[in-house]
Amino acid sequence: MCFTNYLSFFIADLVIFLVKYGWNSFTLFSSFRVFNINKNADVGENINLQQENVLLYEPSDIKIGLLITMIIEKLSELDFNNIKSSLKTFLQSQDVLKDYNYEGSALSTLLDILAYNTQYNAYYLNMVANEMFLDSALQRASVVSHAKLLDYTPKSALAPTAQIRLSVNQVTDASLTLPKFTKFISEAIDGVNYSFVTTDSRTVNVENNTATFDDLHIKQGNPERLTFTVDTIQNPKFLFEIPDDGVDTTSLTVTVQQSASNTYTENYSLSTNFLTLDPTSKVYFLQENNKGNYEIYFGDGILGNQLTDGNVVLVDYIITRGSAAAGANSFVITDSVSGYANTSITSLVAASTGGDRESIDSIKFQAPKSYSAQGRAVSKNDYIALIQQNQLGYSFDAVNVWGGEENDPPVYGQVFVCLKPSGGYSLTDVQKQDIISEIINPISVVTVTPTIVDPDYTYVKVNSNVVYNPSKTSYTSNQLKALGRVKYNEEYYEMILP
């Protein structure tokens, strides 16, 4: 039989085989041990098979499948040229094709197709295998999906928080209320002024025509509200997506209104303990979806209250720039307070504890530790993992924990926690008390008393003698000094010594 006819039959059978069974069928052939094959037989002749279950395929299909399987089994390389060379070596060893010119256009094109297909499939399957495991996954959606199995939700961007004292003068009322989301503007940081807002409304009594809002916490960001209407036909899973990348999920406020005509509302809180839920629990759940956006969903009537058609979901939150506004320490109010514009602001604590969205590497590191902690702090690693995952909006660059028995001198019955806040050097007393009461006490052993201590900083002053060759640069010595200082400042970092 001439080569052209043989090649035509080969390609035709190859196409028919792929249409019938697809590439996955090759894995079936590779599991069979078939020896008695007449290599000189034309297409359509009978083939001796030692395995009866192979006869599930038609004879012509068996032959083309076995031929391709034998070719694939010879391959051990993933490089295109090596794959093509292996195919060529294999075909030259066959009686039917051994005398042909494999650099000719027809066979070369066929080998290119087979080599490309093998390379593409090998790369695809390798990438698929990588995404199946938390350690090797590269796509954020895959990492988040694996973390979800460990009951871990990646941290969102966290808005830096500043503490100020706001005085409103020439007030004629007996009391004054500062509304939620009252806006402030910070001093310029690297040429950018950042918006700050209050996260709650607050009412104080007026004394001597002055209303003083002391220890007022403001967060960097802009307020946003989303409104969703529950519709079991359009959205049967009750998934409500938050489309903003910079959402601070710790600032989420979820309210459910009875209907568009009935304005009665109920507040829903984030569920953190499934064991305490019942069919009437007013809770919502939070997760990151495949697009990288956060979405909220509600109970099914067994774990949490189930919404009904016509309910209106109101979601309020802050869109933040993360750590960019850390260090802001001077503010101006941009809104009047109930019509009063004569105000003064005193900064108490610079903006800190903000953070950027959790990275893929951080998710891989934190998720297994969060799972091992199981929502209770017994070991030092449990404390570290659960403090890092707090829902109070605090972000830390470093967390160190040691038992009282390791202290010098030993203090039994205590656990010491040292925290380095993002964008700051130490926590205020109020922040420490919040962390102890809201984060540590609910998860720690009853007989262990937590104590938060400030970190000790070691500052390094570097004196460098730099030797350079004037013939290799056009810069003067003073210019090189200036460049060296700039470069050092860019790469400077702080180290906390335990």
Side-chain angles (χ1 to χ4, degrees):
M1 179 181 291
C2 68
F3 170 74
T4 304
N5 291 336
Y6 185 89
L7 182 62
S8 299
F9 277 114
F10 180 83
I11 295 176
D13 285 344
L14 173 61
V15 172
I16 293 172
F17 186 92
L18 292 177
V19 170
K20 283 186 176 181
Y21 308 112
W23 279 99
N24 291 334
S25 299
F26 297 157
T27 59
L28 176 62
F29 281 106
S30 64
S31 65
F32 297 139
R33 296 181 178 180
V34 182
F35 300 101
N36 299 328
I37 299 178
N38 182 3
K39 296 181 181 179
N40 295 318
D42 290 333
V43 175
E45 293 185 10
N46 292 330
I47 301 175
N48 257 338
L49 301 175
Q50 293 179 340
Q51 303 268 350
E52 292 183 358
N53 52 355
V54 180
L55 295 177
L56 294 171
Y57 294 85
E58 297 176 9
S60 61
D61 296 336
I62 296 171
K63 186 170 183 179
I64 192 67
L66 289 173
L67 177 59
I68 299 174
T69 302
M70 287 188 290
I71 294 174
I72 291 176
E73 288 177 346
K74 293 288 185 179
L75 300 177
S76 60
E77 301 285 351
L78 295 181
D79 178 73
F80 173 81
N81 292 325
N82 291 334
I83 292 174
K84 184 175 180 179
S85 176
S86 298
L87 288 168
K88 187 186 301 183
T89 301
F90 172 77
L91 291 176
Q92 286 175 336
S93 67
Q94 308 301 305
D95 294 337
V96 177
L97 299 174
K98 65 180 180 180
D99 296 328
Y100 288 98
N101 176 19
Y102 287 91
E103 301 303 325
S105 59
L107 269 180
S108 179
T109 300
L110 180 60
L111 290 176
D112 284 344
I113 293 174
L114 292 176
Y116 273 124
N117 182 80
T118 302
Q119 185 185 38
Y120 289 159
N121 275 279
Y123 178 81
Y124 172 75
L125 293 175
N126 183 62
M127 292 297 102
V128 169
N130 284 342
E131 299 303 312
M132 293 174 64
F133 304 96
L134 180 62
D135 289 338
S136 58
L138 299 177
Q139 298 292 326
R140 184 178 180 90
S142 302
V143 174
V144 170
S145 180
H146 292 304
K148 187 177 181 181
L149 295 177
L150 301 177
D151 193 26
Y152 183 83
T153 302
K155 293 191 292 289
S156 69
L158 296 176
T161 303
Q163 190 174 341
I164 64 172
R165 179 186 298 114
L166 172 64
S167 297
V168 183
N169 305 312
Q170 299 177 352
V171 180
T172 58
D173 298 322
S175 62
L176 190 65
T177 299
L178 185 68
K180 181 180 180 179
F181 294 146
T182 299
K183 295 183 178 180
F184 299 78
I185 291 292
S186 76
E187 62 182 338
I189 299 177
D190 295 329
V192 179
N193 298 94
Y194 294 94
S195 298
F196 281 71
V197 295
T198 57
T199 56
D200 294 296
S201 62
R202 185 170 171 184
T203 301
V204 298
N205 294 324
V206 176
E207 297 180 3
N208 299 323
N209 295 332
T210 300
T212 302
F213 298 89
D214 206 4
D215 295 330
L216 184 64
H217 291 79
I218 56 176
K219 287 181 175 289
Q220 188 278 315
N222 293 302
E224 186 67 35
R225 164 170 281 199
L226 296 177
T227 302
F228 305 97
T229 301
V230 177
D231 187 335
T232 54
I233 297 178
Q234 298 294 329
N235 186 7
K237 294 183 178 180
F238 297 166
L239 295 175
F240 305 103
E241 182 179 343
I242 301 173
D244 299 300
D245 292 337
V247 57
D248 180 353
T249 57
T250 64
S251 69
L252 278 174
T253 301
V254 178
T255 307
V256 176
Q257 184 175 305
Q258 196 68 26
S259 65
S261 58
N262 186 345
T263 58
Y264 174 76
T265 60
E266 291 181 304
N267 293 326
Y268 279 62
S269 59
L270 176 65
S271 174
T272 56
N273 188 353
F274 300 143
L275 298 178
T276 62
L277 299 183
D278 59 44
T280 62
S281 298
K282 301 298 188 294
V283 296
Y284 69 91
F285 304 91
L286 181 70
Q287 67 181 11
E288 184 177 325
N289 63 20
N290 291 334
K291 296 186 292 183
N293 293 328
Y294 287 94
E295 58 188 12
I296 63 174
Y297 59 101
F298 295 84
D300 58 357
I302 299 174
L303 295 177
N305 183 59
Q306 185 175 24
L307 302 185
T308 58
D309 279 346
N311 287 159
V312 179
V313 180
L314 306 174
V315 182
D316 294 295
Y317 57 91
I318 293 175
I319 304 173
T320 182
R321 297 284 296 276
S323 60
N329 199 30
S330 180
F331 304 93
V332 176
I333 188 170
T334 60
D335 295 335
S336 63
V337 182
S338 298
Y340 298 103
N342 188 346
T343 60
S344 62
I345 297 175
T346 302
S347 295
L348 303 178
V349 180
S352 63
T353 69
D356 298 322
R357 189 178 190 182
E358 188 168 14
S359 65
I360 292 176
D361 289 338
S362 177
I363 298 172
K364 290 181 178 181
F365 183 79
Q366 294 287 348
K369 293 174 174 55
S370 171
Y371 180 75
S372 65
Q374 293 292 304
R376 80 285 182 271
V378 177
S379 68
K380 292 186 291 186
N381 288 333
D382 293 342
Y383 278 96
I384 294 173
L386 295 173
I387 289 173
Q388 289 279 26
Q389 298 157 31
N390 73 88
Q391 294 296 321
L392 297 183
Y394 294 129
S395 176
F396 303 104
D397 292 334
V399 179
N400 192 15
V401 178
W402 65 93
E405 72 281 0
E406 302 176 84
N407 204 63
D408 186 16
V411 182
Y412 298 102
Q414 290 194 30
V415 59
F416 292 91
V417 180
C418 184
L419 304 172
K420 162 63 172 68
S422 300
Y425 293 96
S426 62
L427 297 168
T428 66
D429 292 338
V430 174
Q431 290 173 329
K432 291 178 183 178
Q433 187 57 44
D434 284 344
I435 292 171
I436 290 175
S437 61
E438 300 295 332
I439 301 175
I440 299 179
N441 281 343
I443 62 174
S444 64
V445 178
V446 176
T447 56
V448 175
T449 302
T451 301
I452 296 180
V453 298
D454 293 328
D456 291 330
Y457 291 94
T458 299
Y459 299 92
V460 179
K461 183 177 180 180
V462 179
N463 291 319
S464 302
N465 294 320
V466 179
V467 179
Y468 73 99
N469 187 347
S471 64
K472 299 294 186 180
T473 179
S474 60
Y475 291 108
T476 65
S477 60
N478 290 331
Q479 289 174 325
L480 288 175
K481 287 180 182 178
L483 289 174
R485 291 192 185 97
V486 172
K487 186 64 176 176
Y488 177 79
N489 288 333
E490 290 176 352
E491 298 180 353
Y492 173 78
Y493 64 94
E494 297 168 352
M495 179 181 296
I496 301 176
L497 299 180

